Amino acid sequence: MSNEKILIVGAGRMAQAIIKGLKKADFTNVMVANKGNQERLEEVESRFNVDSTTQWQEHVSDQDIVILAMPPEAHEQVLSELAPVMTNQLIITVAAGIDVSYLEKRLPEGTAVAWVMPNTAAAKGESITLFTPGKNVSDEQEYFIEKILFSIGKFKKLNEQQLHALTPITGSAPAFIYRMALTLINKAKETGVSEVVAKQLVAQMIRGSAEMLNSELKCTADLIDEVASPGGVTAAALSVFDQYQFDQMMNDVLTACYERAKQ
Ligand SMILES: NC(=O)c1ccc[n+]([C@@H]2O[C@H](COP(=O)([O-])OP(=O)(O)OC[C@H]3O[C@@H](n4cnc5c(N)ncnc54)[C@H](OP(=O)(O)O)[C@@H]3O)[C@@H](O)[C@H]2O)c1
């Protein structure tokens, strides 16, 4: 059982994924707040058996950790309300583009802050989460951060610049995979299999491919070659990737993500 008191500001997709992980890992003191969608707050409260509040500012001084899980553009206002009521809490944000320098600039001198970048697989305990601790984070606080991140999957400590650059790859790219999955599922359905079966086929294909990617024995180019024997059907398919300049498209996709997060 973990007794740290955690307040989560934001009750959307990412907050719920994190709460699910925290509850599974036996964090017992979790409170959630949002912008004002009362129906959503009540739903989260009953679904995950956590406390909720519409006045989070009044509860900050009771907490050990505050996790900010609202949109990047809401941070300016929320941090200005948080700063005057803080009493030494560790402040963590999950927002794209909101790095530790941003937080340290807006919170009282000496505040311990961290920037973490999970993805929605957190809901299944399968996130790969990147994190950067700020300069005032103690060893004990870093241990708390790692304990929280462990509850939602695997994690890696990196520097701020790396987090900016990798946000598109670990935070946003699941959507790219789902987008491709959707096309494959729709194509599979055209053969007459049901939606459920089509999803199972595609999900297991992605899971198996991920396992192969994780293997230390083979490099990624070899994995492609293994599937695509010269002159074979997969090689013909991959030549269409080249025809449509797939690598260039992916570079543009990642750049668009990076630029948006910088804004
Ligand atoms: N979704 C992802 O895959 C992903 C991955 C990595 C990081 N993130 C980061 O996670 C954060 C949340 O994303 P999300 O996908 O969970 O968004 P979301 O589903 O739209 O939820 C946003 C939540 O923030 C609350 N909120 C908005 N403004 C607020 C304010 N001023 N004060 C208090 N609460 C406020 C909303 O309140 P109401 O309930 O009242 O509307 C809502 O509960 C973002 O910063 C995003 O960059 C998301």
Side-chain angles (χ1 to χ4, degrees):
M1 194 182 290
S2 299
N3 295 321
E4 295 80 32
K5 291 186 172 173
I6 303 178
L7 167 68
I8 304 183
V9 183
R13 289 160 293 197
M14 190 41 70
Q16 290 182 41
I18 293 171
I19 292 169
K20 195 170 172 190
L22 291 175
K23 294 305 286 185
K24 226 169 138 189
D26 261 350
F27 281 85
T28 49
N29 292 306
V30 179
M31 179 181 273
V32 61
N34 63 353
K35 192 178 182 185
N37 182 337
Q38 192 58 33
E39 205 178 312
R40 168 138 71 177
L41 201 56
E42 283 166 15
E43 193 195 313
V44 172
E45 187 181 28
S46 67
R47 185 163 162 220
F48 298 106
N49 190 24
V50 292
D51 294 328
S52 74
T53 177
T54 51
Q55 300 295 324
W56 59 265
Q57 300 83 343
E58 291 174 9
H59 296 272
V60 170
S61 60
D62 294 337
Q63 309 298 320
D64 299 306
I65 300 167
V66 179
I67 300 179
L68 305 176
M70 67 283 167
E73 55 273 20
H75 275 60
E76 194 75 54
Q77 186 218 327
V78 168
L79 290 172
S80 73
E81 291 175 37
L82 178 60
V85 292
M86 279 184 60
T87 49
N88 239 355
Q89 284 72 26
L90 165 64
I91 310 298
I92 300 174
T93 183
V94 303
I98 304 291
D99 57 23
V100 293
S101 313
Y102 183 102
L103 297 174
E104 282 168 356
K105 229 178 269 168
R106 288 160 179 81
L107 292 171
E109 184 74 32
T111 300
V113 303
W115 180 26
V116 315
M117 185 46 55
N119 64 38
T120 47
K124 296 280 181 194
E126 292 288 351
S127 176
I128 173 62
T129 305
L130 312 179
F131 81 101
T132 303
K135 57 180 186 285
N136 303 310
V137 171
S138 65
D139 288 346
E140 189 189 21
Q141 286 170 323
E142 192 161 323
Y143 169 73
F144 286 151
I145 296 170
E146 293 190 351
K147 205 161 121 181
I148 291 170
L149 300 188
F150 184 66
S151 80
I152 57 170
K154 297 190 167 66
F155 56 86
K156 197 123 206 114
K157 179 177 162 182
L158 295 168
N159 68 37
E160 205 170 66
Q161 283 321 309
Q162 288 171 314
L163 236 77
H164 279 291
L166 288 167
T167 293
I169 293 173
T170 58
S172 303
F176 314 159
I177 301 291
Y178 302 140
R179 180 76 180 261
M180 191 182 75
L182 187 59
T183 306
L184 297 176
I185 289 167
N186 287 336
K187 272 320 243 188
K189 278 163 60 185
E190 285 177 15
T191 68
V193 299
S194 67
E195 166 106 26
V196 173
V197 171
K199 257 175 93 172
Q200 282 170 349
L201 299 180
V202 173
Q204 180 56 30
M205 179 278 294
I206 293 172
R207 177 188 291 275
S209 307
E211 286 297 323
M212 294 294 281
L213 260 181
N214 245 339
S215 142
E216 282 163 21
L217 296 176
K218 288 186 178 133
C219 71
T220 308
D222 286 346
L223 290 175
I224 296 173
D225 288 347
E226 268 183 12
V227 188
S229 37
V233 287
T234 311
L238 288 175
S239 72
V240 180
F241 274 59
D242 295 334
Q243 197 183 321
Y244 283 91
Q245 298 183 316
F246 179 79
D247 293 344
Q248 182 59 48
M249 186 199 76
M250 283 308 294
N251 276 327
D252 292 350
V253 161
L254 296 171
T255 305
C257 239
Y258 179 77
E259 293 298 330
R260 180 73 183 108
K262 262 199 341 200
Q263 284 167 22

